[in-house]
Amino acid sequence: MNRDFKWTFLHALSRLMTHSRALPPIRFCESTPFGNSNKGEVLIILLTHLGDVILNLFVLDAIAAWVAPGRFDVMVRPPLDQVVRSHPGVRNVMPFACPWKGARHWRYGLAEWFNTVRRLRLNRYDLIIVAHPHELTSLTARLSGSKLTAGLAFEGDFFLDLPFFIAKRYDRHASEYGLQLLKFLGVPPVEKLREFPVPRDDYERGRGLLENIKSHISNPRSKAVVIHPGAGGQRKIWPKESFVAVIDELLAQQHTVILLGGEIEKQICTDIEKVFSGLEMLRFKNLSGLLNIGELAGAISAADIYIGNDSGPSHIAGALGVRSCVIFGQASDPDIWSPKGRGVKVLRFEDRKFRSPESVSSVLEVVSDLMLSEQIETSV
């Protein structure tokens, strides 16, 4: 679907709805008037990418503790349902079909979206919370027939009954908006979940796969290094040749390297694998395209070191406490989008150096420091 037509369509609907009904009496409020009463049936809409979902898991934790047990649903894009489906506070996970994304013509996507709205109306929610600002998300909440809609919104978005407006110019870490949303709703934060909310069987299967690979490492000083060489945008991806240079050095130091990724990363991982084909296959494994999100999380959890770009799996590594080297170029700002985690080390390069072999030595230096810190912590 043409981008200009998409926004024209949404804003036309916005103007139509704005002029066809009175604006709600509460706007630009600092907090919502929910108090501690029963919230009824609640849905949180989180239509964004993997990394954003990981950063907002604490929001799900808090809202799950805030509502009555068994009355909390989540709407996400597939396959991100794997990240929240096993959350102990979530009752149901609803998939969302974006009208202009997917292999089929946008008209079919639009029909699927209307079906999504119809299902929402049948559920008759008492409260829908928008956890990520987007006009389409707010429009979906408005058309759902929910008694009340609230959450994050951009200026000019008049769909929500209780919008918490944020500036389009981000000037703080993305997780701060989740904290602001909880404050706006009057929801107290809770302690972090003990377990990562993916299907336990998938998680254990992925972890077992990595543990099996590690069991064949005979040198006690050798490490299992997981590398995810992909990202959501080409400008975020560190050059394939740089990953090859890092892997070559790690193999020379007798470490084991495991490539991970989804279907998007399959080609780049295959290209990297060809460089090392027949040389170091006992200590080099390419598992791209073989694992779902739950298995991917389990595999990352068993890694000694993780290396990746600004991507969802890097946020998984940070959330799981894995020692990580995360590489940023100029396409995104780590002050806003860096993974959270005490073991995360972020490297940001200017465009020239990001595409230059000069960056390889910087990454290897960080990886070496991470390995040293792991050895010191283990020996203490």
Side-chain angles (χ1 to χ4, degrees):
M1 183 178 184
N2 181 274
R3 185 177 185 276
D4 291 337
F5 177 77
K6 174 187 73 174
W7 291 114
T8 301
F9 169 72
L10 285 178
H11 286 294
L13 278 175
S14 178
R15 287 195 298 271
L16 176 64
M17 296 183 72
T18 299
H19 293 302
S20 65
R21 58 176 288 181
L23 293 178
I26 302 176
R27 291 210 167 259
F28 298 99
C29 51
E30 294 183 359
S31 63
T32 52
F34 296 134
N36 294 317
S37 61
N38 192 313
K39 317 306 176 303
E41 300 289 328
V42 177
L43 171 73
I44 181 169
I45 303 181
L46 186 54
L47 303 183
T48 182
H49 304 289
L50 176 59
D52 304 287
V53 172
I54 301 301
L55 286 175
N56 281 282
L57 284 176
F58 74 94
V59 176
L60 300 187
D61 300 344
I63 292 176
W66 180 61
V67 302
R71 293 186 173 178
F72 171 48
D73 296 344
V74 179
M75 175 176 278
V76 294
R77 292 190 183 116
L80 301 185
D81 56 313
Q82 299 174 40
V83 183
V84 298
R85 190 173 297 280
S86 295
H87 191 291
V90 174
R91 176 182 56 182
N92 295 313
V93 177
M94 297 187 65
F96 179 85
C98 184
W100 48 80
K101 287 191 176 181
R104 294 189 296 174
H105 195 278
W106 69 267
R107 286 195 298 258
Y108 296 102
L110 192 61
E112 289 184 14
W113 175 64
F114 278 120
N115 285 332
T116 297
V117 172
R118 180 180 59 82
R119 289 194 298 270
L120 287 176
R121 296 183 71 86
L122 291 174
N123 286 345
R124 298 184 178 181
Y125 287 102
D126 296 291
L127 171 64
I128 289 183
I129 300 169
V130 172
H132 192 270
H134 194 285
E135 286 84 348
L136 177 62
T137 308
S138 298
L139 174 61
T140 302
R142 165 59 60 210
L143 297 179
S144 69
S146 173
K147 293 179 182 178
L148 189 64
T149 59
L152 300 179
F154 289 134
E155 291 285 353
D157 179 349
F158 295 112
F159 291 121
L160 300 179
D161 297 314
L162 299 171
F164 182 74
F165 292 109
I166 64 173
K168 287 191 175 183
R169 182 181 62 83
Y170 298 105
D171 57 358
R172 63 191 72 186
H173 195 273
S175 61
E176 289 294 317
Y177 294 105
L179 291 172
Q180 288 184 318
L181 175 62
L182 292 180
K183 183 178 179 181
F184 174 67
L185 296 171
V187 178
V190 296
E191 292 185 5
K192 186 178 179 181
L193 284 178
R194 294 181 180 179
E195 295 185 353
F196 200 69
V198 293
R200 180 50 41 182
D201 289 346
D202 290 348
Y203 184 88
E204 293 298 339
R205 189 159 46 248
R207 185 173 178 84
L209 186 61
L210 254 290
E211 293 288 3
N212 181 59
I213 293 173
K214 291 172 68 174
S215 69
H216 293 87
I217 299 177
S218 57
N219 187 339
R221 298 183 66 86
S222 297
K223 303 297 179 184
V225 182
V226 163
I227 296 179
H228 182 273
Q234 285 297 320
R235 291 187 61 212
K236 295 182 179 181
I237 298 177
W238 201 41
K240 175 177 57 181
E241 295 75 17
S242 298
F243 278 111
V244 167
V246 167
I247 294 170
D248 191 46
E249 180 62 25
L250 291 173
L251 293 176
Q253 295 176 14
Q254 304 301 305
H255 299 300
T256 295
V257 176
I258 303 98
L259 294 182
L260 294 182
E263 288 298 322
I264 296 176
E265 289 81 26
K266 201 169 182 179
Q267 185 59 56
I268 185 173
C269 288
T270 299
D271 292 343
I272 293 173
E273 181 182 18
K274 289 178 181 177
V275 176
F276 300 99
S277 178
L279 298 177
E280 297 284 354
M281 297 306 291
L282 289 177
R283 291 186 290 106
F284 178 87
K285 302 291 182 182
N286 177 13
L287 304 181
S288 63
L290 301 179
L291 309 180
N292 61 32
I293 292 177
E295 293 166 337
L296 182 77
I300 290 174
S301 74
D304 296 314
I305 302 293
Y306 170 91
I307 304 173
N309 300 301
D310 170 23
S311 65
S314 295
H315 286 278
I316 291 177
L320 292 171
V322 178
R323 286 175 172 79
S324 307
C325 174
V326 183
I327 307 162
F328 277 74
Q330 295 296 304
S332 52
D333 187 346
D335 290 339
I336 300 170
W337 299 112
S338 64
K340 290 286 190 177
R342 63 182 182 85
V344 176
K345 301 294 182 183
V346 173
L347 280 174
R348 190 185 193 189
F349 300 110
E350 296 180 355
D351 277 341
R352 183 190 65 80
K353 191 171 183 180
F354 185 69
R355 301 293 172 189
S356 167
E358 299 174 41
S359 58
V360 172
S361 59
S362 299
V363 170
L364 287 170
E365 183 178 347
V366 168
V367 171
S368 178
D369 289 343
L370 290 171
M371 290 182 178
L372 180 61
S373 66
E374 193 269 345
Q375 291 172 0
I376 293 174
E377 186 173 305
T378 303
S379 62
V380 172

